[in-house]
Amino acid sequence: APTVQPSAISITIQNNGGDMAATNVTVRAKLGTSVTLEEKTIALAKGQTASFSVARPQGTGEATAEVVINGQVVASAQFTISP
């Protein structure tokens, strides 16, 4: 689950499928119309994890973290940004 920090959101992803060759992975946090993201080109073996840190979106309330590979959202999680 995403971890909310004062100025950033820490997000760890895990590859639950087969080995993934070096691929451009985007992790984004969305709250209303505010979207922040980090892109990395990474390779992940099955079970391996990678950590991302995205700027905290503006505002408070229910937010969504998404993992995007090749333009497709492959995973998402809901989290709350408190004041």
Side-chain angles (χ1 to χ4, degrees):
T3 303
V4 179
Q5 299 170 333
S7 61
I9 310 295
S10 295
I11 301 167
T12 299
I13 64 171
Q14 181 171 8
N15 179 7
N16 294 324
D19 292 350
M20 182 181 78
T23 303
N24 186 337
V25 177
T26 301
V27 171
R28 60 189 178 203
K30 298 176 13 175
L31 177 64
T33 58
S34 180
V35 179
T36 59
L37 57 86
E38 181 181 14
E39 294 180 333
K40 291 184 185 181
T41 298
I42 56 173
L44 287 176
K46 182 175 182 176
Q48 195 172 19
T49 62
S51 295
F52 290 75
S53 180
V54 300
R56 185 174 165 152
Q58 294 296 312
T60 59
E62 289 301 309
T64 304
E66 296 178 333
V67 179
V68 182
I69 299 175
N70 295 326
Q72 300 292 313
V73 175
V74 297
S76 65
Q78 303 295 124
F79 65 101
T80 301
I81 297 177
S82 300

